[in-house]
Amino acid sequence: MLLTSAVFIASCEKPNVRMHTIVKEDGWIERQITYSTIMSQEERDSLWKGDNVCWAEPVPECLNIDAFMGSNTEVNGDTVTTTFSRSFRSPEEMCEQTPLQLNGRHLQSSAKLEKKFRWFYTEYIYEETFNTVADTFKLPVTNYADQDVVSYWFTGQPNLLEGLNGAEASEKISKMEPFVTQWINDNLFKMGFDYIVNHYDSIQNPPVDKEKFVALQDSLAKSIMKDEDKAEWDAAEEFEKFFHSNAYAPFFDDETPLGKGLSEELSNKLNIFWFSVPYTLEMPGMIVNPGTGIIKDGIIHYSLTFERLIPGDYIITATSRVTNIWAYVVSILIILAAIFLFIYQGRRKK
């Protein structure tokens, strides 16, 4: 149940959500939230009310769009795409209404916009920081690998593969991967174990008392995970072998209240791995530094995923320049005036 979590995560469909931020020359910022839903013909027909189209439902769990009033819905085949937008006076005001959330928890962010006048151009520097969600898991990932390895695995920075060929890069990555599996498994075991502890009074005829059960945590974990090559475990069977009792079986039976509660507890934690919101940024003028993003058709693309929020805060930054045409005109006029004055004074001397 624990070591197959990676397969479970990979098999889940991620919500098709996108976030687009538009930074304007006057300092205003527009934020657009777009999500797509696959709907049957009957469901699509229900969107129409007279001559108007309502927005697509249901809203993905990773969104809270209460503050986004304006919307536009497009229907293309069986895909219904809804876009919400809102303009803000400042980055600070925008971040107060960040629409992203993880398991009902508001994703905190902060942003700032700097304008630097350089005569011939004005430089715009935008930075938005999404707070880390490392506290989602009780066991920190840095207990399993050093900070640089953790940061590279989840964010790609720093680039630990620089200068390596394909074979060398593959070998280095293969050595990193086990720490992620171990980190996930240990945390899932910890969640399940803590859930049993918190509901220990519901167990009928437990083989050991609660204090003894807590003391046996490490021994139980080693016993269950001793065979690293095993594809999957029957948790109820492993508990019965260790304690010589089937008293804990209800926790691993989804038909029981205890089993259902444990499954929901683990599923809620695993849900956060689905979080993936492509983030695009539009800056005024010409982009001169996209940070860690990639420029496509004048738009900067970033990957905002749960993994990137694990090692620390995830920072999106970009710099652009707006040409001050009037500065060129003024400069040319000044030069022409200087030339004219020089010639005029030269003639007067004659």
Side-chain angles (χ1 to χ4, degrees), residues 276-335:
S276 178
V277 179
Y279 182 113
T280 50
L281 177 63
E282 191 172 341
M283 296 286 290
M286 181 180 67
I287 299 169
V288 295
N289 185 356
T292 58
I294 299 174
I295 304 174
K296 295 180 181 179
D297 299 325
I299 305 295
I300 312 175
H301 295 252
Y302 303 89
S303 294
L304 179 56
T305 62
F306 169 75
E307 289 89 348
R308 287 172 171 79
L309 297 171
I310 292 176
D313 296 343
Y314 180 59
I315 301 176
I316 287 173
T317 183
T319 303
S320 67
R321 292 176 181 174
V322 174
T323 302
N324 298 324
I325 298 177
W326 61 266
Y328 284 91
V329 174
V330 171
S331 297
I332 292 173
L333 291 176
I334 292 174
I335 294 173

Short mmCIF file of all heavy atoms in Angstrom, two decimals, residues 276-335:
data_model
loop_
_atom_site.label_atom_id
_atom_site.label_comp_id
_atom_site.label_asym_id
_atom_site.label_seq_id
_atom_site.Cartn_x
_atom_site.Cartn_y
_atom_site.Cartn_z
N SER A 276 -0.34 20.85 -10.49
CA SER A 276 0.54 21.29 -11.57
C SER A 276 -0.19 22.38 -12.35
O SER A 276 -1.19 22.11 -13.02
CB SER A 276 0.92 20.12 -12.48
OG SER A 276 1.72 20.56 -13.56
N VAL A 277 0.30 23.60 -12.23
CA VAL A 277 -0.35 24.73 -12.88
C VAL A 277 0.66 25.45 -13.78
O VAL A 277 1.55 26.15 -13.27
CB VAL A 277 -0.91 25.73 -11.84
CG1 VAL A 277 -1.57 26.92 -12.53
CG2 VAL A 277 -1.90 25.04 -10.92
N PRO A 278 0.59 25.25 -15.10
CA PRO A 278 1.46 26.01 -15.99
C PRO A 278 1.24 27.51 -15.76
O PRO A 278 0.10 27.99 -15.76
CB PRO A 278 0.99 25.59 -17.39
CG PRO A 278 0.39 24.24 -17.19
CD PRO A 278 -0.26 24.29 -15.84
N TYR A 279 2.33 28.23 -15.53
CA TYR A 279 2.26 29.65 -15.20
C TYR A 279 2.91 30.42 -16.34
O TYR A 279 4.06 30.18 -16.69
CB TYR A 279 3.01 29.90 -13.89
CG TYR A 279 2.99 31.32 -13.38
CD1 TYR A 279 2.31 31.65 -12.21
CD2 TYR A 279 3.68 32.34 -14.03
CE1 TYR A 279 2.31 32.95 -11.72
CE2 TYR A 279 3.67 33.64 -13.56
CZ TYR A 279 2.99 33.94 -12.40
OH TYR A 279 2.99 35.23 -11.92
N THR A 280 2.17 31.35 -16.91
CA THR A 280 2.72 32.19 -17.98
C THR A 280 2.70 33.64 -17.54
O THR A 280 1.80 34.09 -16.82
CB THR A 280 1.93 32.02 -19.28
OG1 THR A 280 0.53 32.18 -19.03
CG2 THR A 280 2.16 30.65 -19.89
N LEU A 281 3.71 34.37 -17.99
CA LEU A 281 3.89 35.77 -17.58
C LEU A 281 4.12 36.64 -18.80
O LEU A 281 4.94 36.32 -19.66
CB LEU A 281 5.09 35.87 -16.63
CG LEU A 281 5.49 37.26 -16.15
CD1 LEU A 281 4.37 37.90 -15.33
CD2 LEU A 281 6.79 37.19 -15.33
N GLU A 282 3.38 37.72 -18.86
CA GLU A 282 3.49 38.68 -19.97
C GLU A 282 4.01 40.00 -19.40
O GLU A 282 3.40 40.58 -18.50
CB GLU A 282 2.13 38.88 -20.62
CG GLU A 282 2.16 39.64 -21.92
CD GLU A 282 0.82 39.63 -22.63
OE1 GLU A 282 -0.01 38.75 -22.30
OE2 GLU A 282 0.61 40.50 -23.50
N MET A 283 5.15 40.44 -19.91
CA MET A 283 5.80 41.65 -19.41
C MET A 283 5.72 42.77 -20.44
O MET A 283 5.66 42.51 -21.66
CB MET A 283 7.27 41.36 -19.10
CG MET A 283 7.49 40.36 -17.97
SD MET A 283 7.15 41.04 -16.34
CE MET A 283 8.51 42.21 -16.16
N PRO A 284 5.74 44.03 -20.01
CA PRO A 284 5.73 45.13 -20.97
C PRO A 284 7.07 45.24 -21.69
O PRO A 284 8.12 44.98 -21.11
CB PRO A 284 5.47 46.36 -20.09
CG PRO A 284 5.97 45.98 -18.73
CD PRO A 284 5.71 44.50 -18.61
N GLY A 285 7.03 45.59 -22.96
CA GLY A 285 8.27 45.78 -23.72
C GLY A 285 8.95 44.48 -24.10
O GLY A 285 8.31 43.43 -24.26
N MET A 286 10.28 44.54 -24.18
CA MET A 286 11.09 43.39 -24.59
C MET A 286 11.65 42.69 -23.37
O MET A 286 12.23 43.32 -22.48
CB MET A 286 12.24 43.85 -25.49
CG MET A 286 13.13 42.71 -25.99
SD MET A 286 14.48 43.31 -27.04
CE MET A 286 15.46 44.23 -25.85
N ILE A 287 11.49 41.37 -23.34
CA ILE A 287 11.99 40.59 -22.20
C ILE A 287 13.51 40.42 -22.35
O ILE A 287 14.00 39.97 -23.39
CB ILE A 287 11.32 39.21 -22.17
CG1 ILE A 287 9.81 39.36 -21.99
CG2 ILE A 287 11.89 38.37 -21.02
CD1 ILE A 287 9.04 38.09 -22.22
N VAL A 288 14.25 40.77 -21.31
CA VAL A 288 15.70 40.64 -21.35
C VAL A 288 16.21 39.55 -20.42
O VAL A 288 17.34 39.09 -20.55
CB VAL A 288 16.38 41.99 -21.01
CG1 VAL A 288 16.08 43.03 -22.07
CG2 VAL A 288 15.95 42.50 -19.63
N ASN A 289 15.37 39.14 -19.45
CA ASN A 289 15.77 38.07 -18.54
C ASN A 289 14.53 37.34 -18.05
O ASN A 289 13.75 37.88 -17.26
CB ASN A 289 16.55 38.63 -17.35
CG ASN A 289 17.09 37.54 -16.44
OD1 ASN A 289 16.85 36.35 -16.65
ND2 ASN A 289 17.83 37.94 -15.42
N PRO A 290 14.31 36.09 -18.49
CA PRO A 290 13.11 35.35 -18.08
C PRO A 290 13.29 34.57 -16.79
O PRO A 290 12.41 33.80 -16.40
CB PRO A 290 12.90 34.40 -19.26
CG PRO A 290 14.30 34.09 -19.70
CD PRO A 290 15.09 35.36 -19.49
N GLY A 291 14.42 34.72 -16.11
CA GLY A 291 14.67 33.93 -14.90
C GLY A 291 14.80 32.46 -15.27
O GLY A 291 15.53 32.10 -16.18
N THR A 292 14.06 31.62 -14.59
CA THR A 292 14.09 30.18 -14.86
C THR A 292 13.03 29.77 -15.90
O THR A 292 12.86 28.59 -16.17
CB THR A 292 13.85 29.36 -13.58
OG1 THR A 292 12.58 29.74 -13.00
CG2 THR A 292 14.94 29.62 -12.56
N GLY A 293 12.35 30.76 -16.46
CA GLY A 293 11.31 30.47 -17.44
C GLY A 293 11.84 30.35 -18.85
O GLY A 293 13.01 30.59 -19.13
N ILE A 294 10.95 29.98 -19.76
CA ILE A 294 11.28 29.83 -21.18
C ILE A 294 10.39 30.77 -21.98
O ILE A 294 9.17 30.79 -21.78
CB ILE A 294 11.07 28.38 -21.65
CG1 ILE A 294 11.98 27.44 -20.86
CG2 ILE A 294 11.33 28.25 -23.15
CD1 ILE A 294 11.74 25.96 -21.17
N ILE A 295 10.99 31.54 -22.87
CA ILE A 295 10.24 32.51 -23.68
C ILE A 295 9.71 31.84 -24.94
O ILE A 295 10.46 31.24 -25.70
CB ILE A 295 11.11 33.72 -24.07
CG1 ILE A 295 11.70 34.37 -22.82
CG2 ILE A 295 10.30 34.73 -24.86
CD1 ILE A 295 12.68 35.49 -23.14
N LYS A 296 8.39 31.96 -25.16
CA LYS A 296 7.76 31.46 -26.38
C LYS A 296 6.78 32.52 -26.87
O LYS A 296 5.82 32.86 -26.17
CB LYS A 296 7.02 30.15 -26.13
CG LYS A 296 7.92 28.98 -25.75
CD LYS A 296 7.09 27.71 -25.51
CE LYS A 296 7.96 26.55 -25.10
NZ LYS A 296 7.15 25.32 -24.84
N ASP A 297 7.04 33.05 -28.06
CA ASP A 297 6.17 34.06 -28.67
C ASP A 297 5.94 35.25 -27.73
O ASP A 297 4.81 35.75 -27.60
CB ASP A 297 4.82 33.44 -29.05
CG ASP A 297 4.96 32.32 -30.07
OD1 ASP A 297 5.85 32.43 -30.94
OD2 ASP A 297 4.21 31.33 -29.99
N GLY A 298 6.99 35.69 -27.06
CA GLY A 298 6.88 36.86 -26.21
C GLY A 298 6.27 36.60 -24.85
O GLY A 298 6.09 37.54 -24.06
N ILE A 299 5.94 35.35 -24.53
CA ILE A 299 5.36 34.98 -23.25
C ILE A 299 6.35 34.08 -22.51
O ILE A 299 6.94 33.18 -23.09
CB ILE A 299 4.01 34.24 -23.43
CG1 ILE A 299 3.05 35.08 -24.26
CG2 ILE A 299 3.41 33.90 -22.07
CD1 ILE A 299 2.63 36.38 -23.61
N ILE A 300 6.51 34.32 -21.20
CA ILE A 300 7.42 33.49 -20.41
C ILE A 300 6.63 32.35 -19.77
O ILE A 300 5.57 32.58 -19.17
CB ILE A 300 8.11 34.32 -19.31
CG1 ILE A 300 8.68 35.61 -19.88
CG2 ILE A 300 9.24 33.51 -18.66
CD1 ILE A 300 9.28 36.53 -18.84
N HIS A 301 7.15 31.14 -19.89
CA HIS A 301 6.48 29.96 -19.37
C HIS A 301 7.27 29.38 -18.19
O HIS A 301 8.48 29.18 -18.28
CB HIS A 301 6.35 28.90 -20.46
CG HIS A 301 5.47 29.31 -21.60
ND1 HIS A 301 4.22 28.78 -21.81
CD2 HIS A 301 5.66 30.22 -22.59
CE1 HIS A 301 3.68 29.34 -22.87
NE2 HIS A 301 4.53 30.21 -23.37
N TYR A 302 6.55 29.12 -17.09
CA TYR A 302 7.13 28.50 -15.91
C TYR A 302 6.31 27.26 -15.55
O TYR A 302 5.15 27.14 -15.93
CB TYR A 302 7.12 29.46 -14.71
CG TYR A 302 7.83 30.78 -14.94
CD1 TYR A 302 7.13 31.87 -15.46
CD2 TYR A 302 9.16 30.94 -14.62
CE1 TYR A 302 7.75 33.09 -15.66
CE2 TYR A 302 9.80 32.18 -14.82
CZ TYR A 302 9.08 33.23 -15.34
OH TYR A 302 9.70 34.45 -15.55
N SER A 303 6.93 26.37 -14.77
CA SER A 303 6.22 25.19 -14.27
C SER A 303 6.01 25.37 -12.77
O SER A 303 6.97 25.34 -12.00
CB SER A 303 7.03 23.92 -14.53
OG SER A 303 7.14 23.67 -15.92
N LEU A 304 4.76 25.57 -12.40
CA LEU A 304 4.43 25.71 -10.98
C LEU A 304 3.80 24.40 -10.52
O LEU A 304 2.64 24.11 -10.80
CB LEU A 304 3.45 26.87 -10.78
CG LEU A 304 2.97 27.14 -9.34
CD1 LEU A 304 4.16 27.35 -8.41
CD2 LEU A 304 2.03 28.32 -9.30
N THR A 305 4.60 23.58 -9.85
CA THR A 305 4.15 22.26 -9.42
C THR A 305 4.40 22.09 -7.92
O THR A 305 5.19 22.83 -7.32
CB THR A 305 4.91 21.15 -10.16
OG1 THR A 305 6.32 21.26 -9.85
CG2 THR A 305 4.72 21.27 -11.67
N PHE A 306 3.73 21.08 -7.35
CA PHE A 306 3.93 20.81 -5.93
C PHE A 306 5.38 20.49 -5.64
O PHE A 306 5.94 20.92 -4.63
CB PHE A 306 3.03 19.64 -5.50
CG PHE A 306 3.36 19.13 -4.13
CD1 PHE A 306 2.99 19.85 -3.00
CD2 PHE A 306 4.05 17.94 -3.96
CE1 PHE A 306 3.30 19.38 -1.73
CE2 PHE A 306 4.36 17.47 -2.70
CZ PHE A 306 3.98 18.20 -1.58
N GLU A 307 6.03 19.72 -6.53
CA GLU A 307 7.42 19.33 -6.29
C GLU A 307 8.32 20.54 -6.11
O GLU A 307 9.24 20.54 -5.29
CB GLU A 307 7.93 18.48 -7.45
CG GLU A 307 7.33 17.08 -7.51
CD GLU A 307 6.05 17.03 -8.32
OE1 GLU A 307 5.51 18.11 -8.64
OE2 GLU A 307 5.58 15.92 -8.61
N ARG A 308 8.07 21.60 -6.88
CA ARG A 308 8.91 22.79 -6.81
C ARG A 308 8.70 23.58 -5.53
O ARG A 308 9.47 24.50 -5.23
CB ARG A 308 8.67 23.67 -8.04
CG ARG A 308 9.28 23.09 -9.30
CD ARG A 308 8.89 23.87 -10.54
NE ARG A 308 9.65 23.44 -11.71
CZ ARG A 308 9.39 22.35 -12.42
NH1 ARG A 308 8.37 21.58 -12.08
NH2 ARG A 308 10.14 22.02 -13.46
N LEU A 309 7.66 23.26 -4.79
CA LEU A 309 7.38 23.94 -3.52
C LEU A 309 7.90 23.17 -2.32
O LEU A 309 7.75 23.62 -1.19
CB LEU A 309 5.87 24.16 -3.37
CG LEU A 309 5.21 25.05 -4.44
CD1 LEU A 309 3.69 25.00 -4.29
CD2 LEU A 309 5.70 26.49 -4.31
N ILE A 310 8.52 22.01 -2.55
CA ILE A 310 8.98 21.18 -1.45
C ILE A 310 10.29 21.68 -0.84
O ILE A 310 10.37 21.86 0.38
CB ILE A 310 9.11 19.71 -1.90
CG1 ILE A 310 7.72 19.11 -2.19
CG2 ILE A 310 9.82 18.88 -0.83
CD1 ILE A 310 7.77 17.70 -2.72
N PRO A 311 11.36 21.92 -1.62
CA PRO A 311 12.64 22.28 -1.00
C PRO A 311 12.63 23.66 -0.34
O PRO A 311 13.39 23.92 0.58
CB PRO A 311 13.63 22.25 -2.17
CG PRO A 311 12.92 21.57 -3.28
CD PRO A 311 11.47 21.83 -3.07
N GLY A 312 11.79 24.56 -0.83
CA GLY A 312 11.76 25.92 -0.31
C GLY A 312 10.80 26.76 -1.13
O GLY A 312 10.02 26.24 -1.92
N ASP A 313 10.84 28.07 -0.93
CA ASP A 313 9.97 28.96 -1.70
C ASP A 313 10.32 28.87 -3.19
O ASP A 313 11.49 28.73 -3.56
CB ASP A 313 10.14 30.41 -1.23
CG ASP A 313 9.71 30.61 0.22
OD1 ASP A 313 8.99 29.73 0.73
OD2 ASP A 313 10.08 31.62 0.82
N TYR A 314 9.30 28.96 -4.03
CA TYR A 314 9.50 28.92 -5.47
C TYR A 314 9.36 30.35 -6.01
O TYR A 314 8.32 30.99 -5.83
CB TYR A 314 8.48 28.00 -6.14
CG TYR A 314 8.63 27.90 -7.64
CD1 TYR A 314 9.82 27.45 -8.21
CD2 TYR A 314 7.59 28.27 -8.49
CE1 TYR A 314 9.96 27.35 -9.58
CE2 TYR A 314 7.74 28.17 -9.87
CZ TYR A 314 8.92 27.71 -10.41
OH TYR A 314 9.07 27.62 -11.78
N ILE A 315 10.42 30.84 -6.64
CA ILE A 315 10.46 32.24 -7.06
C ILE A 315 10.38 32.35 -8.58
O ILE A 315 11.14 31.71 -9.30
CB ILE A 315 11.74 32.93 -6.56
CG1 ILE A 315 11.81 32.87 -5.04
CG2 ILE A 315 11.78 34.38 -7.03
CD1 ILE A 315 13.09 33.43 -4.46
N ILE A 316 9.43 33.14 -9.04
CA ILE A 316 9.29 33.47 -10.45
C ILE A 316 9.74 34.91 -10.65
O ILE A 316 9.25 35.82 -9.96
CB ILE A 316 7.82 33.30 -10.90
CG1 ILE A 316 7.48 31.81 -10.99
CG2 ILE A 316 7.55 33.99 -12.22
CD1 ILE A 316 6.03 31.53 -11.26
N THR A 317 10.67 35.13 -11.55
CA THR A 317 11.18 36.47 -11.75
C THR A 317 11.46 36.72 -13.23
O THR A 317 11.76 35.79 -13.98
CB THR A 317 12.48 36.70 -10.94
OG1 THR A 317 12.92 38.04 -11.10
CG2 THR A 317 13.57 35.75 -11.38
N ALA A 318 11.31 37.96 -13.64
CA ALA A 318 11.56 38.33 -15.04
C ALA A 318 11.87 39.82 -15.12
O ALA A 318 11.42 40.62 -14.29
CB ALA A 318 10.35 38.00 -15.90
N THR A 319 12.64 40.18 -16.15
CA THR A 319 13.00 41.58 -16.39
C THR A 319 12.73 41.93 -17.84
O THR A 319 13.04 41.15 -18.74
CB THR A 319 14.49 41.83 -16.08
OG1 THR A 319 14.77 41.45 -14.73
CG2 THR A 319 14.85 43.29 -16.26
N SER A 320 12.13 43.09 -18.05
CA SER A 320 11.86 43.56 -19.42
C SER A 320 12.20 45.04 -19.53
O SER A 320 12.38 45.72 -18.51
CB SER A 320 10.39 43.32 -19.80
OG SER A 320 9.54 44.14 -19.02
N ARG A 321 12.28 45.51 -20.77
CA ARG A 321 12.60 46.91 -21.02
C ARG A 321 11.61 47.51 -22.01
O ARG A 321 11.31 46.90 -23.04
CB ARG A 321 14.02 47.06 -21.56
CG ARG A 321 15.11 46.71 -20.58
CD ARG A 321 16.49 46.77 -21.22
NE ARG A 321 17.54 46.40 -20.28
CZ ARG A 321 18.82 46.26 -20.59
NH1 ARG A 321 19.21 46.47 -21.85
NH2 ARG A 321 19.71 45.93 -19.67
N VAL A 322 11.14 48.72 -21.67
CA VAL A 322 10.26 49.47 -22.56
C VAL A 322 11.05 50.67 -23.08
O VAL A 322 11.56 51.48 -22.29
CB VAL A 322 8.99 49.94 -21.82
CG1 VAL A 322 8.17 50.86 -22.73
CG2 VAL A 322 8.16 48.75 -21.38
N THR A 323 11.17 50.75 -24.37
CA THR A 323 11.92 51.85 -24.98
C THR A 323 11.19 53.17 -24.80
O THR A 323 9.99 53.28 -25.04
CB THR A 323 12.13 51.58 -26.48
OG1 THR A 323 12.82 50.34 -26.65
CG2 THR A 323 12.93 52.70 -27.13
N ASN A 324 11.93 54.19 -24.34
CA ASN A 324 11.38 55.54 -24.19
C ASN A 324 11.68 56.33 -25.47
O ASN A 324 12.74 56.94 -25.59
CB ASN A 324 11.97 56.23 -22.97
CG ASN A 324 11.64 55.50 -21.68
OD1 ASN A 324 10.54 54.97 -21.53
ND2 ASN A 324 12.57 55.49 -20.74
N ILE A 325 10.76 56.28 -26.43
CA ILE A 325 10.98 56.94 -27.71
C ILE A 325 11.20 58.42 -27.53
O ILE A 325 12.05 59.04 -28.20
CB ILE A 325 9.79 56.68 -28.65
CG1 ILE A 325 9.66 55.17 -28.92
CG2 ILE A 325 9.95 57.44 -29.96
CD1 ILE A 325 8.48 54.80 -29.78
N TRP A 326 10.46 59.02 -26.60
CA TRP A 326 10.61 60.45 -26.38
C TRP A 326 12.03 60.81 -25.95
O TRP A 326 12.53 61.91 -26.25
CB TRP A 326 9.62 60.93 -25.31
CG TRP A 326 9.80 60.29 -23.96
CD1 TRP A 326 9.16 59.21 -23.48
CD2 TRP A 326 10.70 60.72 -22.94
NE1 TRP A 326 9.59 58.90 -22.21
CE2 TRP A 326 10.54 59.82 -21.85
CE3 TRP A 326 11.64 61.75 -22.83
CZ2 TRP A 326 11.29 59.94 -20.68
CZ3 TRP A 326 12.37 61.86 -21.65
CH2 TRP A 326 12.20 60.97 -20.59
N ALA A 327 12.70 59.86 -25.24
CA ALA A 327 14.08 60.13 -24.80
C ALA A 327 15.01 60.23 -25.99
O ALA A 327 15.93 61.06 -26.01
CB ALA A 327 14.54 59.04 -23.85
N TYR A 328 14.77 59.40 -27.01
CA TYR A 328 15.58 59.48 -28.23
C TYR A 328 15.32 60.79 -28.95
O TYR A 328 16.26 61.44 -29.45
CB TYR A 328 15.26 58.30 -29.14
CG TYR A 328 15.88 56.99 -28.70
CD1 TYR A 328 15.20 56.13 -27.86
CD2 TYR A 328 17.15 56.63 -29.13
CE1 TYR A 328 15.76 54.93 -27.45
CE2 TYR A 328 17.72 55.43 -28.74
CZ TYR A 328 17.03 54.59 -27.90
OH TYR A 328 17.59 53.41 -27.50
N VAL A 329 14.05 61.19 -29.01
CA VAL A 329 13.70 62.44 -29.68
C VAL A 329 14.35 63.61 -28.97
O VAL A 329 14.96 64.50 -29.61
CB VAL A 329 12.16 62.62 -29.72
CG1 VAL A 329 11.80 63.99 -30.29
CG2 VAL A 329 11.52 61.52 -30.54
N VAL A 330 14.25 63.63 -27.64
CA VAL A 330 14.86 64.72 -26.87
C VAL A 330 16.37 64.73 -27.05
O VAL A 330 16.98 65.80 -27.22
CB VAL A 330 14.49 64.58 -25.38
CG1 VAL A 330 15.30 65.58 -24.54
CG2 VAL A 330 13.00 64.80 -25.18
N SER A 331 16.97 63.55 -27.04
CA SER A 331 18.42 63.46 -27.20
C SER A 331 18.85 64.00 -28.56
O SER A 331 19.86 64.73 -28.68
CB SER A 331 18.89 62.01 -27.03
OG SER A 331 18.60 61.55 -25.73
N ILE A 332 18.11 63.62 -29.60
CA ILE A 332 18.44 64.10 -30.94
C ILE A 332 18.29 65.61 -31.02
O ILE A 332 19.13 66.31 -31.60
CB ILE A 332 17.54 63.41 -31.99
CG1 ILE A 332 17.89 61.92 -32.08
CG2 ILE A 332 17.69 64.07 -33.35
CD1 ILE A 332 16.95 61.12 -32.96
N LEU A 333 17.21 66.14 -30.42
CA LEU A 333 17.00 67.59 -30.43
C LEU A 333 18.12 68.32 -29.70
O LEU A 333 18.58 69.39 -30.13
CB LEU A 333 15.65 67.92 -29.79
CG LEU A 333 14.42 67.51 -30.58
CD1 LEU A 333 13.15 67.81 -29.79
CD2 LEU A 333 14.38 68.22 -31.94
N ILE A 334 18.57 67.73 -28.58
CA ILE A 334 19.68 68.34 -27.83
C ILE A 334 20.95 68.36 -28.66
O ILE A 334 21.68 69.36 -28.70
CB ILE A 334 19.90 67.59 -26.50
CG1 ILE A 334 18.70 67.81 -25.56
CG2 ILE A 334 21.19 68.05 -25.83
CD1 ILE A 334 18.78 66.99 -24.28
N ILE A 335 21.21 67.23 -29.36
CA ILE A 335 22.42 67.16 -30.20
C ILE A 335 22.34 68.16 -31.34
O ILE A 335 23.31 68.88 -31.65
CB ILE A 335 22.59 65.72 -30.74
CG1 ILE A 335 22.90 64.76 -29.59
CG2 ILE A 335 23.69 65.67 -31.80
CD1 ILE A 335 22.91 63.30 -30.00
#
